[in-house]
Amino acid sequence: MLEARGGRVDGWRGRAAAVVVATAALAAGCSDGGADAAPSVSTPSATASTTPPRTSTTPSASGTAQAGPVQLQVAGTVATGIEVPWGLAFLPDKSALVAERDSGKVKRISGGQVTEVGTVPGVDSSSEGGLLGLAVDPKYPTRPYVYAYYSTGEDNRIARLTYRNNRIDDPQVILDGIPMASIHNGGRLRFGPDGFLYVGTGDGSEGQNSQDDGSLGGKILRITTDGQPAPGNPGNRLWYSKGHRNVQGLAFDGNQLYAAEFGQNTWDELNAITAGANYGWPAAEGNSGLEGMVDPIAQWGTDDASPSGAAFAQGHIFMAGLRGERLWAIPVAGGKRVGEPVAFFNGQFGRLRTVEAAPDGSLWLTTSNTDGRGDVKDGDDRILRITISR
């Protein structure tokens, strides 16, 4: 299975494979990784300079990496043998639900044990589609619901599932019609502090969707738990911001939302999101200075990131990298970057898909080596527990 991203295709690393797919990849564009492209390894400072990112954070044999104001250490492995984990959401009892992208199964992790709690019907997996994001209702168990973002043969949808007695049941589609393709499906779900559900979508490989106010593609949506526009959305629409290419990471620091976004051939992005803002795609990729369009607060050469999940903890956005095979820590405050991004665990665990802040203050970090693009290691895919210290 190959995945195109502008001029990049992830998974097959051989030169012959890269030559075969180069022309198709340039036409298609894509998201989570690719074969070798022209290196572009700069990260902007607060003044949008292009100084190289600080990545001199080689882990020791014990799995500890030290850099900047935080230190990360692998405290253990939470679970192994999960097939293409994508969405990850914690329940009030501190157990977690994990979505398997290709199988459509949801699994529960508690006390190191992995059990299946059901399958989301109608999932149609593809290169980047399938069962993607999960979110637990903020009023669970009073409202015993889990929300799932998934691909069908026609579109991407969000369903509300009843979760009782460790089983998912009674799926109710609350929103459909999100553009779907084999690539650029977005998929991340995150409840905000306002109680509304935020949704990262992709452009469905059609860049014009991102600027089309009538399309749900290339947007961050903000919706009620019934799938209606949340009060205060621009123009009473379903979307909150537009001009995105493929949003797969959402994280809140208080009321401030941040989004990790795949670029095409040159720049991946971390954006600070404000209501009604236009983030530029397809006219802009990375810092552009275009009038009426918002530049990212950090950018990376596509070799170094291919960002997917994002989480906030201890003053940092933690951003998982697929092709980059590293976990980025980006110091932020008030919607601005306040220091240089630092990379951890570079290449140590392969492709990294999802990172979530756990109830105990640690991070849970998933690998994505069984997705057809990684080098599978014994026990993959796994969830690692990462502790944070200063």
Side-chain angles (χ1 to χ4, degrees):
M1 184 182 296
L2 292 178
E3 179 177 56
R5 173 181 184 157
R8 300 188 289 151
V9 176
D10 193 15
W12 293 0
R13 300 173 186 260
R15 182 176 301 174
V19 170
V20 169
V21 299
T23 302
L26 282 167
C30 195
S31 58
D32 61 43
D36 292 341
S40 183
V41 295
S42 60
T43 299
S45 71
T47 57
S49 67
T50 53
T51 54
R54 292 170 53 193
T55 57
S56 56
T57 55
T58 304
S60 70
S62 65
T64 301
Q66 299 186 16
V70 292
Q71 301 176 22
L72 303 185
Q73 180 168 338
V74 178
T77 299
V78 176
T80 59
I82 304 172
E83 296 182 9
V84 198
W86 215 102
L88 171 65
F90 286 94
L91 291 155
D93 66 2
K94 301 182 181 181
S95 66
L97 298 178
V98 180
E100 288 189 338
R101 186 191 70 184
D102 292 352
S103 72
K105 295 177 180 178
V106 178
K107 295 187 173 180
R108 177 176 181 260
I109 300 176
S110 180
Q113 300 297 311
V114 181
T115 56
E116 184 179 329
V117 299
T119 300
V120 177
V123 171
D124 187 2
S125 63
S126 61
S127 179
E128 295 180 22
L131 179 57
L132 303 174
L134 293 179
V136 174
D137 195 294
K139 294 187 178 180
Y140 185 93
T142 303
R143 291 196 309 229
Y145 302 125
V146 172
Y147 302 81
Y149 184 115
Y150 63 99
S151 308
T152 71
E154 300 175 354
D155 58 7
N156 287 302
R157 301 180 177 184
I158 301 170
R160 183 176 60 212
L161 311 164
T162 299
Y163 181 71
R164 288 193 183 99
N165 301 318
N166 296 327
R167 297 296 300 174
I168 59 171
D169 196 8
D170 191 28
Q172 302 290 323
V173 175
I174 63 169
L175 183 65
D176 57 14
I178 302 169
M180 183 278 303
S182 62
I183 57 176
H184 300 193
N185 290 296
R188 196 66 61 181
L189 300 179
R190 176 84 65 189
F191 273 99
D194 55 10
F196 297 117
L197 184 60
Y198 291 74
V199 184
T201 74
D203 65 10
S205 78
E206 299 290 341
Q208 64 268 24
N209 285 334
S210 301
Q211 295 296 326
D212 181 354
D213 288 353
S215 172
L216 299 180
K219 308 292 194 301
I220 293 175
L221 314 181
R222 179 175 173 263
I223 62 174
T224 69
T225 54
D226 294 321
Q228 298 301 307
N233 281 6
N236 197 35
R237 300 184 181 95
L238 289 162
W239 57 263
Y240 189 70
S241 64
K242 69 177 185 177
H244 301 286
R245 184 173 182 269
N246 192 15
V247 175
Q248 290 193 8
L250 297 173
F252 277 95
D253 170 14
N255 292 318
Q256 177 62 57
L257 176 62
Y258 297 88
E261 182 171 345
F262 285 104
Q264 182 166 278
N265 294 317
T266 310
W267 298 114
D268 294 321
E269 302 176 358
L270 178 68
N271 287 293
I273 305 301
T274 57
N278 184 345
Y279 291 84
W281 180 256
E285 180 183 358
N287 285 299
S288 65
L290 294 179
E291 184 177 356
M293 297 180 178
V294 180
D295 283 342
I297 63 169
Q299 65 183 28
W300 292 262
T302 49
D303 291 3
D304 298 321
S306 294
S308 188
F312 177 82
Q314 296 197 22
H316 289 71
I317 293 293
F318 293 94
M319 189 181 79
L322 289 160
R323 186 172 185 227
E325 298 188 349
R326 66 200 76 178
L327 179 65
W328 285 99
I330 307 105
V332 295
K336 299 183 182 299
R337 180 163 62 86
V338 295
E340 290 299 313
V342 178
F344 293 88
F345 314 123
N346 189 358
Q348 187 171 351
F349 303 108
R351 292 163 58 82
L352 304 177
R353 170 75 68 179
T354 294
V355 58
E356 287 290 341
D360 66 359
S362 68
L363 300 172
W364 282 22
L365 177 65
T366 76
T367 67
S368 191
N369 295 319
T370 61
D371 62 3
R373 303 165 183 83
D375 296 325
V376 180
K377 303 176 177 63
D378 289 343
D380 279 343
D381 274 314
R382 68 193 67 232
I383 301 175
L384 303 168
R385 179 174 177 269
I386 310 294
T387 56
I388 311 169
S389 61
R390 293 181 180 272

